[in-house]
Amino acid sequence: MNTVTGLSPTNPLERRFAALRQRGGKALITFVPAGDPHLEATRDLLNLLAHNGADVIEIGLPYSDPIADGPLIQGAYTRALSRGIHVRDVFELVRSWSASPALSARRLLEPGSIADLQETTSQMSLSETSEGRPQESRGASPQASVVTVPLVAMASYSLIYRQTERRFVEQCVASGISGVIVPDLPAEEASSLAALCHQHDLALIQLVAPTTPLPRARDIVSRCTGFVYCVSVVGITGVRDHLPEELRQRLQTLRTLTKLPLCVGFGISRPEHVQMIKPYADGIIVGSALVSRLAEAANRPWEEVSLSIGQLLGQLRQALDEQPTS
Amino acid sequence: MPREIVTEQLYHRALSAWPDERGRFGRFGGRYVPETLVYALEQLTAAFQAARNDAAFQRELDYYLRTYVGRPTPLYFAERLTRHAGGARIYLKREDLNHTGAHKINNCIGQALLTKRMGKQRIIAETGAGQHGVATATAAALLGLPCVVYMGEEDVRRQRLNVFKMRLLGAEVVAVGTGSRTLREAINEALRDWMASVETTHYILGSVVGPHPFPWIVREFQSVIGREARQQALEQIGRLPDVVVACVGGGSNAAGMFYPFLEDREVELVGVEAGGRGRRLGEHAATLNFGTPGILHGTLSYVLQDEEGQTADVHSISAGLDYPGVGPEHSFWKESGRVRYTTASDEEALQALELCCRLEGILPALETAHALAEALRIAAQRSPQDVIIVCLSGRGDKDCFEVARLRGLQL
């Protein structure tokens, strides 16, 4: 398909990336582990991210043995599972959230709720909106212009296999999800899922690692839709001090292989990381940095936690949107 | 028509001719891992393929197996156990007499030599009972490679003797406190280490589980057990056995024992899983008996999991069988009907361990005792003309504290 993402022009992921490309913007992709510390917090968090500059939200389905993830994300999943949260509950949450964005927006603006604490950041995102950031207004609520943020499900293949690929894809579509990432399903094992995703206009976002040889990377990006998830470092997810210099080189090479948006994840936690990556990529993916703040919810009031997440997002958003000074 | 014949027609391939180039055993196996590991697994596949066909590598492996491990291990006629069961003749394939006291070393020497061949400078491993950890630490010491072993906290407690041994051997033992704090979590941690260190480190997986090529490599290195046993049966008894029995956790000793007998259709193959203390999920570790096909640790195989695909908690008195997955080749053998998989309970295993001590002067590992319990049951129903070979996969010194605790004694 002749679109930015290889998806149909109406897929929310396509609309978002097409709009970004048109104005030369960079995507801020955020990761939320569903159900940590509880499902209502996840709902708040979806609102918070949607209103603080996230272009895409990845929602992680809790899994007992996530081998690609570091201790932070595993911890979040373990907490969610130990609270008895099921995958079907997560789909239900996502379905109700994406079906009623106006409602979620109103929630945020209720006085005395977390909205007060995020006022500053909300205003920031609204002002960006007025500069022409993509938005879709569903107009149900007069006080909020609602930004539809595409959701991407991140799921271990164990969960998908158990309920069958078809049912998983159908559930994603029914819940308003625009794409899926299956971090433990390499391209050669993914052909049947890829066909189903294609059939339902769902992105199957593939990962390219630093250890991926060039011919293999070419093959992977040719099967990928949505965006290419470029793994920044060899290793698992987690917060890092430095990002490798080879990353720049690798992104330039990948750029010659595909027109799909290139988004970089694993270890992105600071504005300096964003500065380094920005010239060579179409977006960044923030996971563990956000999850580590979420993990503090056990010992801190939720309002403080959401404030600190809002601040992190604000910093990264700013770093992404800044024009080079030279 | 026997089910295994149907399977062979379905796939146009003999049972012993697996895995295919995609790492499949029928529909099982494969490679469900993060992209970061795919290249290393491809490299490993190529290195193993080349080593397998390299006479020099085979000579080196044989040399260490003979002079260092102590192979071939004897096939021993257990006369008093036979008399006790009152039926078929019971023979024990004495893997407990290997250096380090279990079959695990067969695979570790092989993979450590492979590590050198690939030019990698560091070894990591996971361990449940500690036998694979000790065997890996031993092979690492032998070849002068640094070694890190991941072990669940619960297993560190149950198997502290092996923890001490590994440290003596110069290995670093990392106690894993997340999740189930057992073998399953140790594998998760080892895989995570490997994700970050794959360019310089080889992961010596200890069982026929995990992504391709591990189930294949481990089976190949462990098949020395079955090749010897088959040859010894022909020489000592004058014919093939009627039944071959082995315990199955991940299934490495069973895979190595069964594989050379696969095409001897008259030989009955029996795998024994940990029946634990009941049939409900969480009370046992009998994956093939009670599980369903699913994905765990990079492979498609039978798994004990809930209806959404979350891995279930498992239980066994034996740390080495306390695993919610099983090797994909076993799933294939189960579906083909070639191997029968049954269970022995905690208590049956304990009794078999005590019986084997008193009647034969052999202290078997708790894992092995599960196979013995089933072998005694089968023997009792068969004629004295029949021959049963049990893979006596390891010795039970490591289990003394646990057995004493279960019997209410203090050591």
Side-chain angles (χ1 to χ4, degrees), chain B residues 71-242:
Chain B
R71 302 208 71 93
T73 58
L75 181 68
Y76 163 72
F77 175 44
E79 208 175 335
R80 298 191 68 213
L81 269 181
T82 297
R83 216 177 308 143
H84 175 86
R89 285 174 285 165
I90 300 173
Y91 284 78
L92 306 177
K93 176 61 175 163
R94 298 288 308 275
E95 291 300 299
D96 60 317
L97 295 178
N98 284 327
H99 179 42
T100 71
H103 70 289
K104 293 290 185 189
I105 190 85
N106 301 330
N107 169 49
C108 292
I109 297 283
Q111 288 204 46
L113 291 174
L114 210 52
T115 307
K116 285 221 136 170
R117 197 185 158 96
M118 290 187 292
K120 293 192 172 179
Q121 299 104 37
R122 174 175 172 263
I123 283 173
I124 57 170
E126 85 296 337
T127 196
Q131 292 303 90
H132 174 59
V134 168
T136 305
T138 300
L142 173 69
L143 298 179
L145 295 165
C147 174
V148 176
V149 179
Y150 292 92
M151 188 170 188
E153 267 177 4
E154 172 66 9
D155 294 332
V156 167
R157 179 190 69 74
R158 289 195 282 194
Q159 304 289 347
R160 54 188 186 277
L161 185 61
N162 274 340
V163 174
F164 181 68
K165 276 193 206 164
M166 286 184 265
R167 288 181 175 144
L168 268 182
L169 290 162
E172 182 193 340
V173 179
V174 179
V176 181
T178 47
S180 63
R181 295 179 296 133
T182 60
L183 178 58
R184 161 188 152 205
E185 212 49 55
I187 297 180
N188 287 340
E189 256 341 278
L191 281 169
R192 289 189 184 118
D193 179 316
W194 205 33
M195 290 268 289
S197 63
V198 64
E199 287 148 317
T200 58
T201 297
H202 177 57
Y203 175 19
I204 301 191
L205 231 167
S207 194
V208 286
V209 300
H212 177 63
F214 284 113
W216 175 48
I217 291 179
V218 179
R219 180 202 75 198
E220 289 285 289
F221 284 136
Q222 291 296 1
S223 288
V224 66
I225 307 172
R227 277 199 307 274
E228 283 178 11
R230 192 175 181 284
Q231 188 61 34
Q232 288 163 326
L234 291 173
E235 285 166 11
Q236 293 172 223
I237 313 167
R239 65 179 181 88
L240 292 176
D242 299 284

Side-chain angles (χ1 to χ4, degrees), chain B residues 247-329:
Chain B
C247 65
V248 179
S252 69
N253 88 85
M257 186 69 178
F258 294 162
Y259 182 74
F261 289 102
L262 273 186
E263 304 301 340
D264 302 319
R265 297 299 159 95
E266 67 277 25
V267 178
E268 205 183 315
L269 304 173
V270 182
V272 189
E273 296 192 305
R277 53 179 174 235
R279 296 171 65 96
R280 282 204 306 260
L281 202 58
E283 294 182 337
H284 57 78
T287 310
L288 290 164
N289 279 272
F290 302 119
T292 44
I295 312 288
L296 177 65
H297 292 144
T299 191
L300 168 56
S301 188
Y302 274 69
V303 185
L304 289 168
Q305 53 178 206
D306 71 9
E307 73 286 352
E308 287 201 325
Q310 309 290 355
T311 312
D313 285 334
V314 289
H315 161 81
S316 168
I317 41 165
S318 147
L321 302 184
D322 203 354
Y323 181 61
V326 68
E329 194 166 19

Side-chain angles (χ1 to χ4, degrees), chain A residues 62-70 74 81 86-88 157-159 161-162 183-186 188-189 207-213 216 220 231 234-236, chain B residues 22 24 27 30-36 38-39 42 178 184-185 188-189 191-192 195-196 198-199 292-297 300 305-311:
Chain A
Y63 173 54
S64 54
D65 296 82
I67 52 176
D69 288 310
Q74 187 190 17
L81 291 173
H86 291 279
V87 172
R88 58 175 180 271
Y157 192 60
S158 175
L159 304 177
Y161 185 85
R162 179 68 194 214
D184 54 354
L185 190 69
E188 52 271 67
E189 300 282 7
L207 285 81
V208 175
T211 51
T212 308
R216 186 177 164 81
I220 291 173
V231 178
V234 176
I236 50 176
Chain B
R22 289 178 62 215
R24 295 280 174 176
R27 66 177 173 131
R31 203 178 262 169
Y32 298 92
V33 292
E35 174 61 25
T36 303
V38 172
Y39 182 60
E42 280 177 358
T178 47
R184 161 188 152 205
E185 212 49 55
N188 287 340
E189 256 341 278
L191 281 169
R192 289 189 184 118
M195 290 268 289
V198 64
E199 287 148 317
T292 44
I295 312 288
L296 177 65
H297 292 144
L300 168 56
Q305 53 178 206
D306 71 9
E307 73 286 352
E308 287 201 325
Q310 309 290 355
T311 312

Side-chain angles (χ1 to χ4, degrees), chain A:
Chain A
M1 213 171 285
N2 200 19
T3 54
V4 175
T5 58
L7 299 161
S8 82
T10 54
N11 182 300
L13 212 49
E14 168 61 26
R15 290 163 76 158
R16 180 55 53 114
F17 275 106
L20 282 169
R21 186 159 287 184
Q22 203 176 9
R23 69 175 181 90
K26 305 284 178 182
L28 174 56
I29 301 173
T30 55
F31 170 81
V32 184
D36 179 43
H38 47 78
L39 276 177
E40 272 312 300
T42 306
R43 187 191 297 275
D44 283 349
L45 209 54
L46 291 176
N47 292 334
L48 179 69
L49 298 175
H51 288 263
N52 284 278
D55 290 297
V56 178
I57 301 175
E58 291 176 17
I59 184 149
L61 303 184
Y63 173 54
S64 54
D65 296 82
I67 52 176
D69 288 310
L72 273 171
I73 292 175
Q74 187 190 17
Y77 286 160
T78 306
R79 284 191 294 276
L81 291 173
S82 66
R83 294 183 71 101
I85 285 164
H86 291 279
V87 172
R88 58 175 180 271
D89 305 330
V90 178
F91 276 118
E92 180 49 35
L93 168 80
V94 169
R95 194 197 57 73
S96 73
W97 187 79
S98 37
S100 55
L103 188 74
S104 21
R106 219 172 15 243
R107 259 185 74 89
L108 270 174
L109 297 172
E110 273 167 18
S113 76
I114 54 173
D116 282 356
L117 285 155
Q118 338 155 144
E119 213 154 47
T120 48
T121 40
S122 305
Q123 279 162 2
M124 188 187 82
S125 96
L126 288 174
S127 67
E128 280 169 12
T129 304
S130 61
E131 283 169 24
R133 277 176 59 72
Q135 59 160 6
E136 284 87 29
S137 184
R138 295 200 183 171
S141 163
Q143 69 266 53
S145 67
V146 175
V147 182
T148 300
V149 177
L151 288 176
V152 168
M154 169 92 95
S156 280
Y157 192 60
S158 175
L159 304 177
I160 299 172
Y161 185 85
R162 179 68 194 214
Q163 60 171 317
T164 75
E165 292 178 345
R166 177 169 297 280
R167 273 198 55 202
F168 177 78
V169 165
E170 285 168 0
Q171 269 188 291
C172 285
V173 172
S175 311
I177 284 169
S178 308
V180 298
I181 304 176
V182 191
D184 54 354
L185 190 69
E188 52 271 67
E189 300 282 7
S191 46
S192 59
L193 184 63
L196 277 167
C197 285
H198 179 72
Q199 201 183 322
H200 288 87
D201 193 32
L202 203 60
L204 182 57
I205 294 148
Q206 306 263 7
L207 285 81
V208 175
T211 51
T212 308
L214 190 60
R216 186 177 164 81
R218 187 175 289 125
D219 180 49
I220 291 173
V221 298
S222 75
R223 299 165 188 239
C224 182
T225 48
F227 60 87
V228 179
Y229 191 129
C230 308
V231 178
S232 62
V233 289
V234 176
I236 50 176
T237 57
V239 178
R240 285 176 174 80
D241 285 338
H242 303 288
L243 290 170
E245 188 53 37
E246 315 90 78
L247 180 60
R248 186 176 53 81
Q249 187 72 50
R250 203 145 23 80
L251 288 169
Q252 285 173 321
T253 309
L254 281 174
R255 177 57 77 218
T256 65
L257 301 181
T258 181
K259 291 195 167 70
L260 285 171
L262 300 177
C263 299
V264 180
F266 280 40
I268 315 278
S269 57
R270 300 180 187 170
E272 305 93 89
H273 296 155
V274 177
Q275 308 288 8
M276 181 202 149
I277 293 165
K278 204 168 75 167
Y280 312 100
D282 302 295
I284 57 155
I285 304 160
V286 191
S288 296
L290 205 147
V291 179
S292 69
R293 284 163 177 77
L294 206 52
E296 294 168 5
N299 318 310
R300 288 175 72 184
W302 177 244
E303 288 71 19
E304 279 180 35
V305 171
S306 55
L307 181 67
S308 108
I309 291 173
Q311 282 167 342
L312 171 72
L313 243 63
Q315 288 168 5
L316 297 175
R317 182 77 263 171
Q318 197 181 355
L320 279 171
D321 293 344
E322 262 166 16
Q323 297 304 315
T325 42
S326 61

